[in-house]
Amino acid sequence: MPEIRVTPLGAGQDVGRSCILVSIAGKNVMLDCGMHMGFNDDRRFPDFSYITRNGRLTDFLDCVIISHFHLDHCGALPYFSEMVGYDGPIYMTHPTQAICPILLEDYRKIAVDKKGEANFFTSQMIKDCMKKVVAVHLHQTVQVDDELEIKAYYAGHVLGAAMFQIKVGSESVVYTGDYNMTPDRHLGAAWIDKCRPNLLITESTYATTIRDSKRCRERDFLKKVHEAVERGGKVLIPVFALGRAQELCILLETFWERMNLKAPIYFSTGLTEKANHYYKLFITWTNQKIRKTFVQRNMFEFKHIKAFDRAFADNPGPMVIMPGYCVQGTVGHKILSGQRKLEMEGRQVLEVKMQVEYMSFSAHADAKGIMQLVGQAEPESVLLVHGEAKKMEFLKQKIEQEFRVNCYMPANGETVTLPTSPSIPVGISLGLLKREMAQGLLPDVKKPRLLHGTLIMKDSNFRLVSSEQALKELGLAEHQLRFTCRVHLHDPRKEQETAVRVYSHLKSVLKDHCVQHLPDGSVTVESILIQAAAHSEDPGTKVLLVSWTYQDEELGSYLTSLLKKGLPQASS
Amino acid sequence: MDPECSQLLPALCAVLADPRQPVADDTCLEKLLDWFKTITKAGSSLLLLQENPCLVELLCHVLKPQDLSSRVLSFSLRLAGVFAAQEDCFQYLQQGELLPRLFGEPGPLGGAAWTAPSVRSGWIQGLRSLAQHPSALHFLADCGAVDTIFSLQGDSSLFVASAAGQLLVHILGLSMQGLAEGHPSLQAGDWPVCAQKIVGHIEESLHSTAVPQITQALNVLTTTFGHCHDPWTQVLWVRLSPLVGSLLEKDPVPAAHSLVDLLLSVARSPGLSSSSCGLWETLAQTLNHLSPTQAGPLALGILKLQDCPQVLRAQAFVILLQPLACVLKATGQDPGPSGVLDSATGDSLTVDVLLSSKAACVGLLCRTLAHLELLQPLPQRPCPWPQEPLLGAAVTLLQLCRGSASPASDVGRHLCALLLGCVRVQRAALDFLGTLSQGTGPQELVTEVFAVLLEYLRSPDSSPTVLKKAFQATFRWLLSSPKTPGCCDLEPHALLVLRELLPVLQKRLCSPCWEVRDSGLEFLTQMTRHWGGQAGFRHALLASEVPKLTEQLLRDPESYVRASAVTVMGQLSSQGLHVTPVSPEHPGGQQKSLLVELLHILSTDSEGFPRRAVMQVFTQWLRDHHADVAGDTEQFMARVLQVASQDLDWEVRAQGLELALVFLEQTLGQFHSHCPYAVTPPVAAPAGSLAQALQPLCRVRLFEFAFRALFDCDRPVAQKSCDLLLFLRAKTASSSGSLEESRSGPDVASVEAALQRWQAGDQGQPLGDLEPEVVAALDCSQALNEDSLMG
């Protein structure tokens, strides 16, 4: 029985360290290869030793797919490819390929420089890893090998983020990665066609959240920032997710221009600045508005926002705005949970004195968005990842109720197995179709009906043709198969006379059919043949031999039941 | 435990026990457990529990039926295990019957919480921590935990299933530890209860028809024999080997991969392999029974064994070579004089696998190539090693993948159709071909190797990853070309190859793919490093366009490529292979020198990689007394340090300190090794006074750079600066007596004050011109004592 198996090594009832193994029609694919922000030891990377007990990873895995450049989706990639030893292909979109090394370098810098870790991947390893990447375009079907193909769809979320369809024969899985179903100031909304996959693996970060209008949120944000600045204060926005920095920069830049504000806005040099370069480069991946106005003015060329210099650093102002989801174990998560004292590494304790605001500018789909995507793709079943267990449970029930499909939410290490029915494509001959059409019934998806024909298997292909054509093609002679039945009649007359009586009776009953009395004494009704014979033991009884072809099975059965009732008495 | 922590514990336990206060952060539970592990490792768990009764209360509390998070329950199970690992603490917890309630039937085991994998995992991990002493074994036997562990081997969670297997191995080892030395009895009745139960379960599983059960049993045995080499393992193997052997009678052999792992684990175990229980016969039998794909890992494992009968090794080698022998036969090639491949050719089963489907063919060939690649460099590799046929096979495979081979046989044509354009086989074959360069081969075959490599390097169809491997393999073969004694130049044939290679490289340096341009530059770096000083190489390189193209790549749009180009250019220049051409516009002068160009990159490149590469080149140039640097070293140093100090990339600043250290060594003498046995080289300090010696350092503003780095917010930079200043102090301390009076001078005070401001974070103010006397005094002063430097 063919099946699809899914095992999350990370992101199973968890946010962070996304790494999902999918086995589909004998092909093994790893979806994302992320790290967990909440750990500094071995636990930050997925435990790859579970992928295969036997043999090399390169032999086991057919490919690795990276959905986007955030570290919880690609942070373990150089470790996996250069230190664990995976040497096969890695697929991602062009912008992801361009921006990934910037984030990986930054991550390496933090690990090696700030935390002094020695056994970490090097810059050379990041480069060697990136050289194994095969970049893909949106909607381009990429053949990984003769059987496995993948296709990327626009996911919004961040520049270059993609959902991937993985297909082997007629079986397919869609992995969403992180996505956003509502367009924002610089990106469009996620979109996928009605591809009806066997399984949709979707993120569920905001499984229970229905976000209010984005306009209100933006207005509140700008109001808060403006008020703080007007009071002479400063606002620190720790934008931990690349992509959100660009979104907020555009928001602030537009507001500053409109309000003619003079207070300086800085963004920290390094990451955002480097990424801005790619945002300008991959303008086709942004939303329609930015693409349209790009010739007059590239929205990523900011006028009011300047690169930050260390010389400006003093006490962070009175307000901190956290603009998105904070992974468990991080400083952001602690501050948002209301912790007023933070123990930093080396047991240094910092007091949180500033005002903290949480305003979700997160580019994840909310519950409504997730339901919308499920409706769009029409999967046979859904699997939730990248979320918290309790919230997933709620969404799972909702999906099962609304779409009447199975929904799964495996924990890390748990395997979900989905049986799939093998779909065998069969070609149908034009002749057979024409005959079917001649009956006046047009094909209709909603009203399936039976079609008779002969199935021919030739050169690993199946074709349904008419019996005549099948015989002709295969050079075979037709064999007639007849059903037979004996009916006993009490009639002391001679066989010929009994036959005449049968003929007369049937002629009177079956007015619409062609009833014939043949010279040899037998009677025919269409293909049905009736012969009368004497009973070997009882001369007062005659035996009627009735035979018919399968085409006239209905009539044959009717006739025998009619004869079994006996013949009418002769009028004379 | 800190009194502070002790005070906090009750509140912490209260939060954990309160279902209304869900723990929002799972990672904190993990970290909390880490902390408890550290505490119990350092001291008595019993004391900890007695001093902090809230902990036992927490463990009792989680057992009450309530809506408690599965993660807190899991945490509590693991915590209980950590405490009970110490026997006195175990007894303490047993007094309150807490352990049976946590780990026995009445506990979470029978409840709804058991459906959460995290609870099952916590249960297993708790028991794993607990099972450290004989009392724990009795407990496990009494509470029926072992049966639950058996069932968890088939858990839907990989993590739980794997941990269950590991725990069984641990319990088996622990219970057998108590047995007297020497060979224990074969009679099961003499074994401890837990061990009897586990072995009985393994036997039952091996009898089973269900493959997952057989796999679980084999995995437990593999880990047992891999980790423990006590005499009882021999008895266990004697007892179980007939059952294991009986698996081979089934067709197909069930759980073949796990069986291979087990047999190899047994063969590697010193006590087991020498015992006379028919291991070698079983291995030979297994080799015959398994499919070619399954037999490969076993064959490789056998060939890696230190002591193994020659006949078995020969059989294993034949099996390992079979796929390549089939390829040679199918393409009508001579399997070679060694006879090994000859005997491997007749296997129809391998041919069937190879031809069955593209996936099977590719899989088998890639695995075979990888196995042989692993085997080739090992000292225990088979002898004679069929170098020639293997070379032939690798070359043939590469030709088949390119479609440049035209085999006459049907099998050959079929193989050609299957392998055409297959990147996986191309990569594996190129890796293997590179490894084979460690051996020799007849000239005509080596010519063929270079021909196929060139074919790949030239082909427009070669993917970037294939090209990278082709470059690597080519370099290895050039490196291994036979050399004329006493001369390390390329031999004539390799030179001919090089002449063909350079135009190809030239083309690849212009590739639209940055990966290809970069691989080309990396290849050039390796070649220049090895043969940069050799006439033949120099002549060929200079006659080509490669140096010019490399220079152009300094302005490549991709930063990785720019960085590689910087490295190559630095090396070419060191070797005198980069000649600055005379500009036609300025007939009298020269075009911008490479030094200026690299300085430009250092000051303006937006990416860190090229700037880091420039600093590495400069450091090497300074070490080698490169002409461009030696001309006016001080000016060079002053300029580079000034630019590097302002760089935002900490690695560039750290590299700046490396450069400064080289300069210091050259000015003041070698950096002394701290090793007491090291021979101290003669100090190259100048004969004049210390002040004179320090003068050039002041002129290049090295001290300002070092002091600034000392307060750098990036730790590695500060540490490196520390090393440099400590070295300087060691150098100056001995000869600074005459400068004693400078220490209290006004200049020193003002610089010290400036440094203190820097330390406080205000680095806006410059130090001004430092005089050698001030520096020497400062260097010896309290402001730079070792403690403050290390802090």
Side-chain angles (χ1 to χ4, degrees):
Chain A
M1 188 76 173
E3 57 186 26
I4 293 174
R5 271 180 293 125
V6 183
T7 314
L9 291 183
Q13 301 184 8
D14 183 16
V15 178
R17 203 177 34 191
S18 281
C19 182
I20 300 139
L21 294 177
V22 173
S23 192
I24 170 169
K27 300 282 169 184
N28 299 305
V29 179
M30 188 161 103
L31 303 171
D32 281 337
C33 188
M35 48 78 73
H36 198 297
M37 308 271 178
F39 291 108
N40 290 330
D41 52 18
D42 292 349
R43 287 169 285 191
R44 72 182 141 207
F45 294 147
D47 191 342
F48 298 117
S49 64
Y50 288 100
I51 296 178
T52 171
R53 249 187 81 98
N54 314 90
R56 302 183 321 145
L57 278 172
T58 314
D59 294 328
F60 181 80
L61 281 179
D62 291 280
C63 71
V64 172
I65 295 173
I66 301 293
S67 65
H68 64 288
F69 58 64
H70 280 155
L71 288 176
D72 59 331
H73 294 261
C74 72
L77 195 60
Y79 170 73
F80 183 62
S81 74
E82 306 308 308
M83 296 171 91
V84 180
Y86 171 71
D87 198 25
I90 302 164
Y91 293 91
M92 56 178 79
T93 64
H94 286 276
T96 307
Q97 189 197 21
I99 302 175
C100 233
I102 301 176
L103 270 103
L104 289 168
E105 268 299 325
D106 191 61
Y107 177 34
R108 187 189 69 83
K109 175 186 142 92
I110 301 291
V112 176
D113 159 20
K114 300 278 187 236
K115 295 175 184 156
E117 290 185 38
N119 190 22
F120 207 78
F121 51 77
T122 61
S123 286
Q124 181 67 36
M125 286 177 182
I126 297 175
K127 180 169 91 170
D128 289 341
C129 168
M130 294 321 290
K131 280 171 135 182
K132 291 177 184 170
V133 169
V134 182
V136 300
H137 294 286
L138 282 180
H139 304 151
Q140 171 200 3
T141 302
V142 178
Q143 288 294 143
V144 176
D145 58 34
D146 285 358
E147 292 148 345
L148 173 64
E149 61 181 46
I150 60 171
K151 190 174 175 183
Y153 290 95
Y154 192 78
H157 187 63
V158 286
L159 193 80
M163 305 193 262
F164 279 88
Q165 183 188 36
I166 302 118
K167 202 170 173 196
V168 183
S170 60
E171 291 175 28
S172 69
V173 170
V174 168
Y175 172 59
T176 65
D178 292 352
Y179 64 102
N180 193 2
M181 293 298 283
T182 46
D184 58 23
R185 283 182 179 259
H186 74 293
L187 296 172
W191 179 86
I192 194 160
D193 55 26
K194 211 173 277 301
C195 51
R196 298 196 178 92
N198 298 85
L199 178 69
L200 173 77
I201 304 174
T202 171
E203 68 131 324
S204 52
T205 321
Y206 289 112
T208 53
T209 312
I210 306 246
R211 275 202 293 257
D212 54 0
S213 133
K214 207 156 67 75
R215 289 236 168 266
C216 297
R217 232 177 315 139
E218 288 179 353
R219 203 178 51 220
D220 284 355
F221 168 76
L222 291 170
K223 196 173 149 219
K224 279 188 174 135
V225 173
H226 192 198
E227 277 170 8
V229 173
E230 286 290 288
R231 284 200 308 267
K234 301 178 184 71
V235 182
L236 180 69
I237 311 173
V239 193
F240 34 81
L242 199 68
R244 288 306 82 197
Q246 281 67 24
E247 176 75 2
L248 293 179
C249 279
I250 291 178
L251 188 60
L252 288 169
E253 170 88 2
T254 323
F255 185 68
W256 250 237
E257 202 149 301
R258 202 171 70 226
M259 304 293 287
N260 198 21
L261 296 177
K262 299 290 174 225
I265 307 172
Y266 299 105
F267 62 85
S268 67
T269 43
L271 263 188
T272 309
E273 191 184 20
K274 280 179 195 164
N276 265 348
H277 166 69
Y278 289 104
Y279 272 76
K280 286 178 216 164
L281 197 69
F282 292 107
I283 211 84
T284 48
W285 282 75
T286 57
N287 69 19
Q288 211 178 4
K289 189 179 168 195
I290 291 190
R291 287 203 304 267
K292 271 187 178 170
T293 55
F294 145 80
V295 182
Q296 292 93 39
R297 185 197 162 183
N298 189 324
M299 283 297 274
F300 298 103
E301 306 272 11
F302 303 119
K303 280 183 191 163
H304 297 273
I305 303 172
K306 302 176 183 83
F308 182 75
D309 190 293
R310 281 213 179 105
F312 299 126
D314 57 5
N315 297 321
M319 188 194 286
V320 166
I321 297 179
M322 308 294 274
Y325 187 90
C326 293
V327 172
Q328 295 181 355
T330 57
V331 175
H333 187 268
K334 286 174 189 164
I335 293 180
L336 282 184
S337 315
Q339 231 171 280
R340 303 309 292 174
K341 275 188 182 173
L342 295 173
E343 188 180 319
M344 309 306 280
E345 275 171 50
R347 306 206 67 180
Q348 186 194 0
V349 177
L350 291 183
E351 214 167 316
V352 183
K353 289 180 186 159
M354 59 228 164
Q355 184 190 344
V356 180
E357 294 278 348
Y358 172 70
M359 307 189 83
S360 174
F361 281 89
S362 216
H364 290 276
D366 61 0
K368 212 167 112 189
I370 297 170
M371 297 298 280
Q372 199 183 331
L373 187 88
V374 176
Q376 232 175 57
E378 284 192 7
E380 281 174 20
S381 39
V382 178
L383 189 141
L384 304 178
V385 290
H386 201 281
E388 291 164 34
K390 280 209 164 145
K391 294 178 181 173
M392 278 182 173
E393 190 64 55
F394 171 81
L395 185 67
K396 172 178 154 39
Q397 284 177 8
K398 212 163 165 255
I399 289 173
E400 286 181 335
Q401 271 168 15
E402 192 158 319
F403 297 103
R404 308 222 167 270
V405 295
N406 286 329
C407 184
Y408 307 88
M409 40 172 281
N412 284 333
E414 260 194 314
T415 302
V416 168
T417 307
L418 299 170
T420 53
S421 25
S423 155
I424 303 162
V426 174
I428 185 161
S429 77
L430 196 61
L432 203 59
L433 269 182
K434 278 183 179 167
R435 200 165 75 185
E436 202 60 19
M437 294 283 285
Q439 292 181 7
L441 296 165
L442 286 170
D444 187 349
V445 180
K446 285 179 186 164
K447 286 183 194 159
R449 63 193 158 98
L450 281 178
L451 183 71
H452 289 278
T454 305
L455 194 66
I456 299 183
M457 198 172 90
K458 208 171 166 187
D459 303 330
S460 310
N461 284 323
F462 286 96
R463 274 187 316 124
L464 192 71
V465 297
S466 65
S467 314
E468 301 78 41
Q469 195 181 335
L471 288 169
K472 204 171 144 191
E473 273 190 31
L474 301 173
L476 295 174
E478 190 176 10
H479 289 260
Q480 280 269 342
L481 187 72
R482 295 184 77 86
F483 298 96
T484 57
C485 180
R486 284 166 188 267
V487 180
H488 293 261
L489 280 181
H490 183 72
D491 190 357
R493 298 186 185 89
K494 285 192 170 168
E495 294 91 332
Q496 291 87 343
E497 287 176 40
T498 309
V500 172
R501 285 184 68 205
V502 168
Y503 168 72
S504 313
H505 177 55
L506 294 181
K507 186 94 180 154
S508 63
V509 177
L510 305 169
K511 289 205 167 67
D512 295 337
H513 294 272
C514 172
V515 184
Q516 285 180 301
H517 190 199
L518 300 182
D520 65 353
S522 53
V523 178
T524 63
V525 184
E526 309 291 353
S527 73
I528 300 160
L529 183 71
I530 305 160
Q531 287 170 319
H535 197 283
S536 54
E537 289 166 15
D538 179 9
T541 301
K542 295 289 166 298
V543 180
L544 294 180
L545 286 165
V546 189
S547 78
W548 64 92
T549 63
Y550 76 95
Q551 289 97 331
D552 282 329
E553 198 189 339
E554 216 173 311
L555 185 63
S557 306
Y558 171 69
L559 241 164
T560 43
S561 60
L562 193 71
L563 291 173
K564 274 178 187 170
K565 286 178 192 161
L567 297 173
Q569 290 301 313
S571 53
S572 57
Chain B
M1 189 193 294
D2 290 353
E4 261 182 313
C5 296
S6 234
Q7 272 178 4
L8 275 174
L9 259 187
L12 171 81
C13 292
V15 169
L16 291 177
D18 187 355
R20 288 164 305 168
Q21 296 192 51
V23 181
D25 186 343
D26 300 332
T27 61
C28 72
L29 290 177
E30 292 282 322
K31 288 168 191 169
L32 191 59
L33 201 74
D34 291 348
W35 178 71
F36 274 114
K37 279 181 190 163
T38 321
I39 299 268
T40 51
K41 220 177 206 172
S44 157
S45 300
L46 179 61
L47 213 60
L48 181 71
L49 292 193
Q50 283 169 339
E51 285 173 358
N52 301 284
C54 59
L55 290 170
V56 176
E57 281 164 25
L58 171 70
L59 296 181
C60 292
H61 190 86
V62 295
L63 289 167
K64 292 180 187 161
Q66 57 194 317
D67 188 21
L68 196 66
S69 129
S70 58
R71 276 170 171 144
V72 173
L73 185 56
S74 168
F75 164 80
S76 307
L77 289 165
R78 290 162 72 188
L79 185 64
V82 169
F83 292 145
Q86 292 177 15
E87 199 159 6
D88 53 354
C89 193
F90 173 85
Q91 303 296 0
Y92 177 74
L93 291 170
Q94 273 294 65
Q95 281 165 20
E97 289 289 303
L98 189 58
L99 292 176
R101 284 195 286 145
L102 279 167
F103 294 102
E105 281 297 334
L109 195 54
W114 194 248
T115 52
S118 60
V119 173
R120 301 199 297 275
S121 174
W123 188 86
I124 289 263
Q125 289 179 53
L127 283 182
R128 175 67 180 82
S129 308
L130 175 154
Q132 304 294 337
H133 39 75
S135 310
L137 283 177
H138 292 300
F139 168 71
L140 289 172
D142 294 344
C143 76
V146 179
D147 287 314
T148 312
I149 305 171
F150 291 154
S151 67
L152 287 179
Q153 280 185 289
D155 199 89
S156 63
S157 166
L158 278 180
F159 300 165
V160 175
S162 160
Q166 301 287 332
L167 180 56
L168 284 181
V169 174
H170 176 74
I171 296 172
L172 182 62
L174 184 71
S175 55
M176 294 304 285
Q177 246 174 31
L179 280 188
E181 286 294 309
H183 278 261
S185 158
L186 259 177
Q187 297 302 314
D190 300 339
W191 286 28
V193 183
C194 268
Q196 275 186 43
K197 199 160 187 167
I198 293 170
V199 173
H201 173 72
I202 293 172
E203 284 176 327
E204 200 179 302
S205 303
L206 290 175
H207 276 301
S208 157
T209 49
V211 177
Q213 252 179 293
I214 299 173
T215 310
Q216 288 158 16
L218 293 174
N219 289 349
V220 167
L221 288 175
T222 305
T223 320
T224 304
F225 294 129
H227 284 76
C228 182
H229 304 139
D230 289 347
W232 65 267
T233 52
Q234 292 178 33
V235 179
L236 183 66
W237 176 241
V238 170
R239 185 167 150 183
L240 295 178
S241 56
L243 266 178
V244 172
S246 69
L247 294 176
L248 292 173
E249 289 158 17
K250 299 180 183 173
D251 189 27
V253 178
H257 283 305
S258 299
L259 181 63
V260 166
D261 283 349
L262 171 64
L263 292 175
L264 288 175
S265 174
V266 173
R268 283 186 207 113
S269 173
L272 295 173
S273 55
S274 57
S275 65
S276 55
C277 49
L279 173 68
W280 307 126
E281 289 77 12
T282 311
L283 282 168
Q285 211 185 339
T286 315
L287 276 176
N288 281 336
H289 275 73
L290 296 181
S291 73
T293 318
Q294 295 164 333
L298 180 62
L300 175 68
I302 290 171
L303 289 166
K304 277 173 152 182
L305 292 173
Q306 296 292 348
D307 302 303
C308 167
Q310 195 50 43
V311 185
L312 183 62
R313 281 173 63 81
Q315 187 193 352
F317 199 37
V318 166
I319 286 191
L320 200 59
L321 292 172
Q322 254 161 12
L324 295 190
C326 290
V327 170
L328 285 178
K329 194 182 171 194
T331 47
Q333 291 183 57
D334 181 14
S338 69
V340 183
L341 261 82
D342 204 16
S343 52
T345 49
D347 189 76
S348 62
L349 207 62
T350 310
V351 177
D352 289 348
V353 173
L354 282 176
L355 301 184
S356 63
S357 72
K358 182 166 179 169
C361 175
V362 170
L364 181 59
L365 285 173
C366 286
R367 273 185 207 108
T368 304
L369 291 166
H371 290 154
L372 288 166
E373 195 189 327
L374 283 173
L375 194 62
Q376 204 273 348
L378 298 181
Q380 67 267 38
R381 74 172 193 199
C383 188
W385 176 256
Q387 171 80 0
E388 286 178 39
L390 287 178
L391 262 181
V395 169
T396 307
L397 272 177
L398 286 168
Q399 286 169 339
L400 286 172
C401 290
R402 281 261 307 123
S404 55
S406 43
S409 73
D410 281 349
V411 179
R413 275 193 293 271
H414 196 152
L415 268 178
C416 198
L418 288 174
L419 295 179
L420 190 66
C422 179
V423 177
R424 273 184 70 186
V425 175
Q426 289 176 4
R427 282 199 302 247
L430 283 166
D431 274 341
F432 181 52
L433 192 61
T435 311
L436 284 177
S437 68
Q438 289 168 21
T440 51
Q443 190 54 53
E444 56 273 26
L445 207 47
V446 176
T447 309
E448 244 185 278
V449 168
F450 279 120
V452 80
L453 286 171
L454 276 168
E455 197 183 322
Y456 268 77
L457 290 171
R458 275 195 198 113
S459 165
D461 301 330
S462 296
S463 77
T465 49
V466 167
L467 276 172
K468 184 182 170 184
K469 288 191 189 288
F471 272 129
Q472 285 170 339
T474 308
F475 176 68
R476 294 177 79 170
W477 272 98
L478 283 173
L479 207 58
S480 76
S481 298
K483 294 163 194 75
T484 322
C487 167
C488 47
D489 201 355
L490 285 160
E491 55 91 32
H493 178 71
L495 267 176
L496 279 177
V497 173
L498 187 70
R499 283 198 193 105
E500 281 191 73
L501 194 60
L502 286 171
V504 180
L505 179 63
Q506 215 163 289
K507 196 178 133 203
R508 290 300 178 194
L509 291 179
C510 303
S511 164
C513 276
W514 72 265
E515 295 93 334
V516 175
R517 297 196 299 276
D518 193 70
S519 298
L521 288 172
E522 283 178 341
F523 174 64
L524 182 57
T525 309
Q526 285 177 315
M527 287 209 299
T528 318
R529 192 173 293 149
H530 275 87
W531 300 293
Q534 307 310 319
F537 175 80
R538 295 172 68 87
H539 185 73
L541 187 70
L542 286 172
S544 76
E545 293 280 303
V546 169
K548 194 177 143 200
L549 278 170
T550 309
E551 194 172 0
Q552 285 170 12
L553 290 177
L554 288 173
R555 291 170 290 281
D556 195 274
E558 180 59 47
S559 65
Y560 279 137
V561 179
R562 291 201 297 278
S564 297
V566 166
T567 308
V568 182
M569 286 309 293
Q571 219 170 64
L572 289 178
S573 177
S574 291
Q575 308 268 18
L577 286 162
H578 170 256
V579 185
T580 312
V582 176
S583 161
E585 293 153 26
H586 310 283
Q590 284 193 325
Q591 263 187 348
K592 225 171 34 170
S593 81
L594 183 60
L595 176 65
V596 175
E597 179 113 20
L598 294 187
L599 270 171
H600 179 72
I601 292 173
L602 184 65
S603 7
T604 57
D605 202 302
S606 59
E607 298 284 336
F609 310 120
R611 303 201 306 266
R612 286 180 212 164
V614 169
M615 287 306 291
Q616 273 161 1
V617 166
F618 282 166
T619 311
Q620 197 54 46
W621 279 8
L622 186 64
R623 274 202 188 104
D624 300 347
H625 305 285
H626 187 281
D628 284 6
V629 174
D632 191 347
T633 312
E634 283 189 24
Q635 198 200 347
F636 163 78
M637 282 301 296
R639 179 85 186 100
V640 175
L641 291 185
Q642 190 207 355
V643 180
S645 70
Q646 285 159 9
D647 203 294
L648 286 169
D649 185 344
W650 69 266
E651 289 190 44
V652 172
R653 299 197 299 278
Q655 196 63 47
L657 285 159
E658 187 68 39
L659 181 79
L661 197 62
V662 174
F663 186 65
L664 266 182
E665 283 170 1
Q666 288 179 355
T667 316
L668 299 177
Q670 282 294 305
F671 196 171
H672 288 284
S673 163
H674 290 297
C675 172
Y677 305 106
V679 179
T680 315
V683 177
S689 72
L690 177 66
Q692 266 179 321
L694 293 178
Q695 203 72 51
L697 308 182
C698 291
R699 282 197 296 269
V700 302
R701 303 188 84 86
L702 184 142
F703 295 106
E704 185 164 343
F705 177 69
F707 287 139
R708 206 177 274 277
L710 190 63
F711 304 119
D712 200 291
C713 57
D714 288 309
R715 188 161 58 180
V717 180
Q719 272 173 346
K720 228 174 171 86
S721 169
C722 248
D723 293 343
L724 184 136
L725 289 168
L726 285 171
F727 166 67
L728 192 62
R729 196 177 70 164
K731 276 279 158 199
T732 55
S734 54
S735 46
S736 62
S738 59
L739 301 168
E740 198 61 40
E741 63 280 9
S742 314
R743 256 176 224 176
S744 52
D747 289 350
V748 178
S750 80
V751 174
E752 274 186 348
L755 284 179
Q756 272 159 13
R757 279 197 301 279
W758 279 15
Q759 192 165 14
D762 177 17
Q763 295 195 15
Q765 191 191 347
L767 282 183
D769 288 335
L770 291 174
E771 290 303 318
E773 290 80 6
V774 176
V775 170
L778 199 67
D779 213 22
C780 301
S781 78
Q782 282 298 308
L784 291 176
N785 69 46
E786 202 157 332
D787 288 343
S788 71
L789 286 176
M790 296 317 253

